[in-house]
Amino acid sequence: KGKHEASGAGRMLHERGILDLVEVAFTSKLKRSYETLDLMLANTTANFSAIRSWRLNERHYGALQGYNKETIVESFYDKESVRKWRRSWDVPPPKMPDNHPHYSVVREQYSREEIEEMGGDIPRGESLEQCAQRLLPFWNEYIMPHVKEGKCILVVAHANSLRSLIGTVFDVSKAEIEKLRIPTGSPLVYNLDSMTGKPLPVPEECSMLEGELLWPIEECPVLFDEYYSLSVQRNLKKYSHSDEDVPGNVDEKEDVKR
């Protein structure tokens, strides 16, 4: 499914003429992020540099890391607590202890220099707000200069790191971010003001928090927790041809934002 979504996203961006306009891309340091970019570019002539940063890594779920939602609810915590940790803006999950079965896996994702930049230790658990706080310096130092130059940029990251980024950079309300579900593999296009970095108005047919989703209006995905949509799957069948998956945790998949 992951490779289906990545290939389909690249195809949509190519067909809209956007991919050939991209001058620089940004991905996280996680394999599933930069592999997604590679799959998007397969069979295209697009050619641009890509910058990887741990600051775009998926939000750290603390003691919940590495488990899917059903396992956590059935074995460890009550459903309401898990919902609050997963969806709220400023409530962090329980911290990951040293003896957590996934501690060494997470630690190996970072270099010594990166851990020093974090203050000497890996994240032990992040709220969306804390995720946004470590994303913001990277946005200001590396991404915003390209926005000010009017360049077309591509960010390939993760569901919750993107929720955090949208919430803090574009000043979206906490209430909207808490209920927001970003569809995986669905290109989200923003036209940003080169002075402020804030989104300019977009067509209302298929919009999300001032960004434009590249889906036809009749198949625009429903984006919020209280609803479910099959339209993403219908579009994936249209744009994708591979049956293989991109490796990654069950609840952490890639999303694409320009």
Side-chain angles (χ1 to χ4, degrees), residues 6-7 10 13 19 22 24-27 31-42 44 48-52 154-157 246 254 256:
S7 298
L13 289 171
L19 205 54
V22 175
V24 60
F26 300 91
T27 77
K31 183 179 180 180
R32 58 190 183 276
S33 176
Y34 56 79
E35 280 192 352
T36 294
L37 178 60
D38 290 342
L39 287 164
M40 291 173 62
L41 299 181
T44 75
F48 46 79
S49 60
I51 299 171
R52 300 177 187 175
L154 179 66
V155 179
V156 183
V246 174
E254 274 37 67
V256 185

Side-chain angles (χ1 to χ4, degrees), residues 12 19 37 42 45 81 86 97 99 126 164 169 178 202 205 225 237 243:
M12 280 185 280
L19 205 54
L37 178 60
T45 58
S81 294
R86 286 170 53 86
N99 63 354
E126 296 174 305
S164 299
V169 172
E178 287 182 354
V202 298
E205 286 84 357
D225 268 357
K237 292 179 182 179
D243 291 322

Side-chain angles (χ1 to χ4, degrees), residues 181 183 219-232:
R181 181 191 298 273
E219 297 182 352
C220 189
V222 177
L223 302 170
F224 297 96
D225 268 357
E226 56 265 35
Y227 302 104
Y228 293 91
S229 173
L230 297 177
S231 59
V232 173

Side-chain angles (χ1 to χ4, degrees), residues 165-174 176-177 196 198-199:
L165 188 63
I166 291 170
T168 188
V169 172
F170 299 156
D171 300 327
V172 177
S173 73
K174 182 171 69 173
E176 285 187 296
I177 288 297
T196 65
K198 306 301 181 184

